[in-house]
Amino acid sequence: MPDFGLLTANCEQILQVAPVSVMLIDAEGVITFVNDWHLANFARGKRDRDFFIGKKLQDLPGIVSAGLAEDIRSILAGRTIHLEAYYTNECSGGQSAYQNLRGIPVREGGRIVGGIVIREDVTRLVMAQHLLTENQAIFKALLDAPHDSIILSDLDAYILILNEEAAKRRGKTVDALIGSSLYRYLPPEVAEVRRVHLQRAAATGKVVSYEERHGELTYLVSLCPIAGPEGRTILMASYSRDITALKETESQLRREKELAFSASQAKSQFLGNITHELRTPLNGIIGATQLALQGDDQEDQRELWEIVEDSGKRLLAIVNNILELADIDAAAIEPVLSSCDVGELVASLARGYSVRAKVKNLDFSVRVDPRLPSRLVGDVFRLRQILSNLLDNALKCTRYGGIEIRVKLARTSRMELAPNYRTLLFMVRDTGIGIAKELQGRIFEDFELAEHYLTKRLSGAGVGLSIARHLVEMLGGSIWVKSAPGHGSTFYFTIPFALPDYECRERAVVYASEDAVFSPAEHTVLLVEDERINRLTTVRTLSKLGYQSLEAVNGQEALAVLSRNTADLILMDIQMPVMDGIECARHIRNGEVPGLSKTIPIVALTAFANGKDRERFLRLGMNDYLAKPHTIEQLAEVLESNLRRGRGAGKVRLGA
């Protein structure tokens, strides 16, 4: 038979050295046994065995603070309990700890006589688990922080770890993608390229980077091999960054660089061309003048002065175009609206250009739509300028055949939305050299020519068509061309006009007098000009036109002349010594000259030539504006219109 005494002694010895806390309790929960491990580890030598023996386990502070008193009583009720990682802040030694607890009831003859309570200190394990959980959270946060897709895979591209961005791009969750093939979610051609690069990275052990296109998106993919203990690649980290916006920016910068280079080339070509264009008429002026000064033949003299006049006009046209383009570039021009007869304006232009066409043995015709309203409101000056630029271009480009202007009423969707407006379509057709198709999109750009400036057959600075486009667009229209080399060109442009009754219903438009009787000899003009040459030529021109004239070299002298003499109109230079034209005009408008009407017409005669200067002088008291240089016809027109109208009927600028 077994020696039960020895067996009991051995069991007690085992319980004493077991690496867990062991307590035996009776049917009331009173502790009858506590092992050495408990005293050494949970009590930490601060409590001896006598402290525990005889006390109820469910009343110990550590059991109460952990909320386990009821669990201990349930053991005595016959239930086995198993609690894991519960926390107590009051162990027998005063420390806090995480513990596992197992309680087993002890029966004798079917009756509960006590229980065994085994407790294990799992503080280190729980803390390690907490640290692991925290590290996993930090690791996940690090993975999800960038906007890059990050995937860790094996060498067969099966996904082991990935971040939220990678899952989002594939329309799946992180958990759903783990274990799946990386290639499954790539287009076949993209997957094959990825496979080749991954194999190369694994074989070389070096990072491989390349750009990958997914439809409209571009990604920068980096494949980073990860080596095992033996130095051989065992895993592959894939990083994919969306660089679509960066590529678009690079493309935009590249386009802007190309445009800047193209513009630089165009300006260089323009400078070379404009030098030639300016020097040619200057050479004609200087050469003809020198010959005129040396010659005696009156017939030759007339031909030479005609050369001077023609070269001067050509030079003036070039300068005006360059200044106009500068004003457009600086947004210094605005529409100035007035009522006009478009048909009469076109007819007036045609009269001048038909003479020039006849000199070149060209036909010239005009066709105007009879449905055009007799009066429309628009910018007459700019319309004339656009047509003049197109007609000048047509005359230069045409040697045989003819030129035609057409104007018609265009039917547009604007009619329903704006019934008080009419859109006119203008066409200028020639039978000239034509324009190659590849150049048709460039001829309306600044400084562009339809020919190379060194080998061109026609003169021109390359700004006339550009000015026409800018002016058409400023007036709310559009311009285009149809042409073929050797078959001539047709330029089209549209401009909207307002009906007078609508645009002017609250403001009266004053037209020039229809009275054809006008006698310059009845009028005296005061010329205020500090430059001797300008005074000489202008006074002689006034005399040729039939006007009487007075002279002054500055504003102060002009006031003195006006106090002694009668004048009907003043031609006022702006920039002069002693007193400038603006200050002189202010004294006149303030009524400071005895016997002189302060409403006397004053015409600004100046080299300040842009549209904003014109508006400024009108606001400062001038009635009109005439830029230097000007033709005799322009001077005659300004004088007559202002003397007819007088101060009481100033121009109305609609929409200004």
Side-chain angles (χ1 to χ4, degrees), residues 389-439:
N389 281 358
L390 295 180
L391 288 169
D392 286 338
N393 187 71
L395 279 170
K396 280 191 297 185
C397 297
T398 307
R399 294 183 179 179
Y400 310 101
I403 297 170
E404 181 183 24
I405 306 176
R406 292 188 186 182
V407 187
K408 62 185 292 187
L409 193 63
R411 298 289 301 178
T412 67
S413 57
R414 184 180 297 184
M415 291 286 288
E416 298 177 4
L417 301 174
N420 296 303
Y421 284 83
R422 296 291 182 268
T423 297
L424 302 190
L425 172 65
F426 297 83
M427 293 171 278
V428 176
R429 185 180 64 84
D430 65 64
T431 57
I433 59 175
I435 305 166
K437 187 174 181 180
E438 63 271 15
L439 295 174

Side-chain angles (χ1 to χ4, degrees), residues 318-454:
I318 295 169
V319 172
N320 284 341
N321 275 341
I322 295 171
L323 293 175
E324 187 74 28
L325 193 60
D327 285 346
I328 290 169
D329 236 9
I333 61 171
E334 296 176 354
V336 178
L337 307 182
S338 61
S339 181
C340 65
D341 183 335
V342 173
E344 177 55 35
L345 182 147
V346 172
S348 172
L349 268 177
R351 284 192 289 271
Y353 279 95
S354 62
V355 174
R356 293 172 59 183
K358 189 175 182 180
V359 171
K360 295 185 68 173
N361 295 318
L362 299 175
D363 295 329
F364 195 96
S365 60
V366 178
R367 294 173 61 183
V368 178
D369 190 338
R371 298 175 300 163
L372 258 63
S374 60
R375 283 283 172 182
L376 290 168
V377 174
D379 193 324
V380 183
F381 177 77
R382 296 304 179 188
L383 175 58
R384 180 186 291 272
Q385 191 176 1
I386 295 164
L387 286 169
S388 295
N389 281 358
L390 295 180
L391 288 169
D392 286 338
N393 187 71
L395 279 170
K396 280 191 297 185
C397 297
T398 307
R399 294 183 179 179
Y400 310 101
I403 297 170
E404 181 183 24
I405 306 176
R406 292 188 186 182
V407 187
K408 62 185 292 187
L409 193 63
R411 298 289 301 178
T412 67
S413 57
R414 184 180 297 184
M415 291 286 288
E416 298 177 4
L417 301 174
N420 296 303
Y421 284 83
R422 296 291 182 268
T423 297
L424 302 190
L425 172 65
F426 297 83
M427 293 171 278
V428 176
R429 185 180 64 84
D430 65 64
T431 57
I433 59 175
I435 305 166
K437 187 174 181 180
E438 63 271 15
L439 295 174
Q440 291 176 19
R442 293 169 44 195
I443 58 172
F444 293 109
E445 298 301 322
D446 298 344
F447 317 128
E448 288 289 350
L449 293 165
E451 303 177 284
H452 192 277
Y453 75 102
L454 292 178

Side-chain angles (χ1 to χ4, degrees), residues 19-23 34-47 52 60 62-63 86 88 90-101 117-123:
V20 293
S21 166
V22 180
M23 286 185 175
V34 58
N35 70 345
D36 292 340
W37 192 94
H38 180 92
L39 298 175
N41 293 279
F42 278 170
R44 293 188 176 181
K46 295 181 180 180
R47 302 282 190 268
F52 295 101
L60 289 179
I63 297 298
Y86 72 85
T88 177
E90 198 173 354
C91 290
S92 303
Q95 77 279 18
S96 60
Y98 289 93
Q99 299 177 4
N100 288 346
L101 183 148
V117 178
I118 302 171
R119 284 181 287 170
E120 180 184 7
D121 188 348
V122 292
T123 302

Side-chain angles (χ1 to χ4, degrees), residues 332-337 379 381-382 604 606 608-625 651-656:
I333 61 171
E334 296 176 354
V336 178
L337 307 182
D379 193 324
F381 177 77
R382 296 304 179 188
T606 177
F608 292 104
N610 68 39
K612 285 195 173 180
D613 289 327
R614 183 173 187 270
E615 293 300 315
R616 179 166 63 93
F617 297 144
L618 294 176
R619 286 197 307 270
L620 292 171
M622 309 293 181
N623 294 80
D624 212 335
Y625 168 97
K651 294 180 181 178
V652 174
R653 287 170 179 77
L654 301 175

Side-chain angles (χ1 to χ4, degrees), residues 130-140:
H130 285 179
L131 182 60
L132 177 61
T133 301
E134 289 177 3
N135 287 341
Q136 287 176 336
I138 293 171
F139 178 67
K140 186 177 185 307

